[in-house]
Structures are given as structure tokens and as C-alpha cells.
Amino acid sequence: MTDTISRKIVSANILCTILIVCLHARYEYNGVYNIIGTLSDIAVPVFFAISSYLYFEKFDWNNPITSYKKGIKKRIFSLLAPYLIFSSLGFLIFTSKAMLKHEILPCDISSLKDVLVYICFAKGNPPLWYLTSLFEFVLLAPIIGYVVRTTKFSFVLIPLSVCFCHTLSYSNIIFWLPVLIFGCYCSIWWSYILKVFRDINSLYVSCFGILILVFICISFNDIIDRTIPVYYIYRISAPVLFLAIMGRFDFTPPILFKIKNYTLFIYCSHSLILFFLFPIIKKLPYNFLIYIISVVFLLLVSVGIGILVKSRCFRLWRILNGGR
């Protein structure tokens, strides 16, 4: 992997993390906020495509069993440990709030089983589903890799898998199989991709990608049901559009690269911070300016907490940030 590709991946990771925050920080869902939601929906498929690409970039095909075991052990620390901690924090926050306000408890705290189910399914911090799905991908990754490696024409599996996966649950890893195959294909057959597109002007491709993305976001400005097949195709196509755009342009301001080591922490903590932020927002005259301020404030608070934890207890920070 070249330095250019590495920087593009870091840039995409930062932008997609911010888009996730933008998606969940919305208090209203009509008009411009719906367009923001549609644009932000590219984040998760791009995350999965990048994760797939990086996994297979580091996978040792000459020693697959050892590489597979090593990958699982690494993800237990980098994915499952933060998942359990931030899910437990969600449980503590929602339970404490319910007890203080004499509301119905989120689960029966006298039942260890109910508490464990609540934590294991991250009911107090829903965005964490992505971490467990990513771990499921690691378990299935070699199967995807070996199939894609068989032929450079394995890209046909992407549209074929769309036909069978679009009816599945959003949190089901197989739902994201097309983008996982795409990421794998880019890693294994990158030289072939470059050969095919070597004579195509990247500026034209990037501009075309931007136009398509803008058109889609405007077309879906009043969408309510995001489970329809055409929207699934948009989700699955997002990494391709994103790659086409990022191939020529870099929309990440240099200052944002300072948060590159905090993206996972932002992702895991933003929902919990929003729990405290939303009651304040509801008391304000909600408009687009307030929305932007809340997004910026949320990012600053999350990064600020991360910096504080990192400076005071580096070992704890390593665990919370998955060893990154």
C-alpha cells in the first residue's frame, strides 16, 4: 500500500466518522436534514469497504491459518474490548438516569441475565453494532478472500450478491457482503484495476462521481423508507462513488488530521454524549446553525475527553481506543 493510498484511507476514515456524527446529531429529519441523512449513509459502507481492503492487504496468503488466528486475536482487543466497555457505559448512564428520575429501568437490574443481554446487544449505545459486525467479517474473511482470488472477474459477485442480500437486516454482516467483496477485490486485484482505468481521466471520473452523489441526495430528499431496494443499491454503490471522488479530491482540511487517532473513540462515545446534549438542544430554537454548532461541539467534547483520558491514563486509553 502506497503512502498516497494510506493518506486517502485516513482522510476517508475521518470524513466518515464526522458523517456518522452528523447522521445521529439530527433532531429533525425533513428537508435539508434528510439530505444530510442520505449523504451520511455512505459512511458505514465506506467503513466496511476500507476495513475489508485493509484486512486483505495485511493477510498472509502463504501462511493463511496463522494470519487468520492473528487477525482474530487482534480484533478481540481492538473491537470487542471497546464494544463491551462503551456498551457498559451506556447501561450505567441509562440505568442511573432512570433511577434518579424514578423512571422505568432499561432492564431488570436484579437479573444478571437481563443485564448481560442489555450490554451484549449494546442497547444503551446502538451505534456499536458496527464493531460486532466487523468482528463477524473477520471470522468470514478468508472465505471471501479465497473466492475473490480465484479470478479477476470475481467482481461479478458484487451485483450478484446484491440480489440476495438486500432483504437482510441492516446489522447483519451479510447485508454488507457486496461492499466487503469490493474492498477485498481492490486489495487483491488493484494492479488489474489500475490497468483497466489507466487511460481514464481521474478528474472527469471524480467530477462525475460528485454529480451522481449530489443527484442521489437530492432525489432522496423526501425518502421515508430506507429499506427499499433502490436505496440499498445506493448504499452499496457508495464506496465506489467515494473512491472515484477521493481519487482526485481530498476534502479533509489539514486540521482534521489531528483527530485521526480519535476516530474510533468518537464513534463509540458520540451517542453517549448526545444523551446529555439532546435535552439542551430541545430547549433551543432548532435551526441549521444550532445543528452545526451541536455537531462541532459534540466532536470537540469527544476529542477533549479522549485527550484527557490519554494524558491521565494511557493504558486505559489504549483499551478504549482498541490499541490504536
Side-chain angles (χ1 to χ4, degrees):
M1 182 167 58
T2 65
D3 291 340
T4 301
I5 293 177
S6 179
R7 179 180 172 81
K8 293 286 186 182
I9 288 175
V10 172
S11 180
N13 191 38
I14 294 170
L15 288 177
C16 288
T17 300
I18 294 174
L19 285 176
I20 289 293
V21 173
C22 291
L23 178 69
H24 295 151
R26 294 174 303 158
Y27 183 56
E28 294 182 358
Y29 299 93
N30 59 327
V32 67
Y33 303 106
N34 210 359
I35 293 176
I36 290 172
T38 301
L39 177 62
S40 299
D41 273 340
I42 72 173
V44 169
V46 170
F47 274 147
F48 273 122
I50 290 175
S51 297
S52 179
Y53 174 84
L54 292 175
Y55 179 88
F56 290 107
E57 275 292 290
K58 299 175 182 178
F59 193 83
D60 184 3
W61 293 103
N62 295 319
N63 199 356
I65 296 178
T66 302
S67 186
Y68 178 63
K69 290 180 179 178
K70 184 179 178 180
I72 292 176
K73 290 179 180 178
K74 179 181 179 182
R75 268 69 178 191
I76 289 174
F77 181 69
S78 65
L79 296 175
L80 297 189
Y83 177 89
L84 291 174
I85 293 173
F86 282 100
S87 180
S88 298
L89 285 173
F91 165 75
L92 292 174
I93 289 172
F94 278 90
T95 302
S96 299
K97 180 234 179 186
M99 294 178 70
L100 289 172
K101 294 192 173 184
H102 305 288
E103 298 174 345
I104 298 176
L105 293 172
C107 68
D108 183 3
I109 59 175
S110 64
S111 169
L112 179 60
K113 179 183 177 181
D114 284 358
V115 172
L116 290 176
V117 167
Y118 189 92
I119 292 174
C120 288
F121 286 93
K123 294 182 179 180
N125 196 347
L128 294 180
W129 71 268
Y130 171 74
L131 300 187
T132 51
S133 292
L134 197 55
F135 187 78
E136 291 170 0
F137 156 67
V138 173
L139 298 177
L140 299 172
I143 298 175
I144 298 173
Y146 275 109
V147 172
V148 171
R149 284 187 82 208
T150 55
T151 172
K152 60 188 176 185
F153 298 108
S154 55
F155 63 82
V156 298
L157 293 173
I158 298 175
L160 287 176
S161 60
V162 168
C163 301
F164 299 99
C165 301
H166 73 277
T167 58
L168 299 175
S169 168
Y170 181 85
S171 59
N172 188 325
I173 189 59
I174 305 302
F175 179 87
W176 302 103
L177 184 59
V179 294
L180 295 173
I181 295 174
F182 173 72
C184 176
Y185 189 89
C186 287
S187 174
I188 295 174
W189 296 105
W190 185 247
S191 58
Y192 174 70
I193 294 174
L194 292 178
K195 182 180 178 181
V196 171
F197 292 99
R198 66 187 175 199
D199 296 326
I200 298 178
N201 190 304
S202 61
L203 176 61
Y204 293 156
V205 173
S206 299
C207 291
F208 185 63
I210 293 174
L211 289 174
I212 292 177
L213 190 58
V214 170
F215 173 77
I216 290 173
C217 290
I218 294 175
S219 299
F220 288 136
N221 73 314
D222 58 349
I223 189 171
I224 298 175
D225 183 8
R226 295 179 185 268
T227 63
I228 58 177
V230 67
Y231 199 81
Y232 177 73
I233 293 174
Y234 161 64
R235 289 186 194 272
I236 299 307
S237 303
V240 181
L241 290 172
F242 203 78
L243 177 64
I245 296 170
M246 293 291 291
R248 182 74 184 198
F249 303 108
D250 190 346
F251 298 100
T252 310
I255 191 172
L256 287 182
F257 276 90
K258 293 183 179 180
I259 70 171
K260 66 179 182 180
N261 296 323
Y262 297 90
T263 52
L264 179 67
F265 187 82
I266 293 171
Y267 184 91
C268 293
S269 65
H270 78 277
S271 180
L272 303 179
I273 298 172
L274 273 173
F275 173 80
F276 298 100
L277 185 60
F278 266 146
I280 299 173
I281 296 175
K282 290 178 180 179
K283 295 178 181 179
L284 300 173
Y286 195 72
N287 53 50
F288 191 69
L289 178 60
I290 295 297
Y291 167 73
I292 294 298
I293 292 174
S294 65
V295 169
V296 174
F297 180 76
L298 180 55
L299 289 169
L300 290 175
V301 170
S302 186
V303 173
I305 295 173
I307 292 173
L308 182 63
V309 174
K310 187 177 180 180
S311 62
R312 295 297 179 88
C313 187
F314 186 71
R315 287 186 178 180
L316 175 60
W317 166 253
R318 290 273 296 173
I319 297 173
L320 291 175
N321 206 37
R324 293 167 179 79

